[in-house]
């Protein structure tokens, strides 16, 4: 199921990123792509007031790792998916990422962030859009075609 969900999520993400319509995708998938945010040496999880639930850290390349997360706002009514990338190299590293967001019964959408440079010894995060959702959600993701698994529910 996880592989099927990732293939469906990435198909929707690529379609949304390219601006094509996908009749079978939900409105969230059609809402657009993800966006990168650089964090420098500030850990995005510990610097946030939101609740992050992340899968384990996975090596993407030598001295580069990533993890997929589902995030819930501090107020509890909003959620989003994210892929965190940590570059421990002494030079810029180019990465593309994608993630989806789903409840136990339905997909809320899938998004992709185009290739971007992650600064030396720093964090960057690819975020999906913020969605209203009070029930539990999780996220499946990838970075540079490396499967990051599934986050726990948040």
């Amino acid at each position: 199921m996880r592989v099927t969900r990732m293939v469906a999520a990435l198909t929707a993400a690529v379609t949304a990123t390219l601006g094509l319509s996908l009749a079978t995708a939900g409105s969230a998938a059609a809402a657009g792509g993800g966006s990168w945010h650089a964090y420098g040496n500030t850990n995005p999880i510990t610097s946030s007031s939101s609740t992050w639930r992340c899968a384990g850290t996975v090596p993407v390349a030598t001295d580069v790792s990533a993890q997929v997360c589902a995030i819930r706002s501090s107020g509890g009514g909003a959620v989003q998916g994210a892929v965190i990338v940590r570059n421990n190299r002494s030079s810029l590293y180019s990465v593309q990422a994608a993630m989806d967001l789903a409840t136990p019964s339905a997909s809320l959408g899938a998004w992709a962030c185009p290739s971007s440079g992650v600064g030396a010894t720093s964090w960057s995060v690819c975020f999906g859009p913020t969605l209203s959702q009070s029930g539990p959600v999780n996220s499946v993701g990838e970075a540079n075609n490396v499967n990051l698994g599934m986050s726990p529910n948040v």
Side-chain angles (χ1 to χ4, degrees), residues 40-105:
N41 283 318
T42 302
N43 183 317
I45 297 173
T46 59
S47 66
S48 172
S49 62
S50 297
T51 301
W52 296 58
R53 294 288 182 256
C54 302
T57 302
V58 176
V60 173
T62 302
D63 295 327
V64 179
S65 57
Q67 60 190 135
V68 63
C69 304
I71 306 166
R72 181 165 302 280
S73 66
S74 58
V79 295
Q80 66 188 145
V83 172
I84 301 172
V85 179
R86 174 65 188 180
N87 177 11
N88 287 321
R89 294 179 174 193
S90 59
S91 60
L92 192 69
Y93 180 77
S94 182
V95 63
Q96 58 187 7
M99 90 293 297
D100 74 354
L101 200 60
T103 68
S105 61

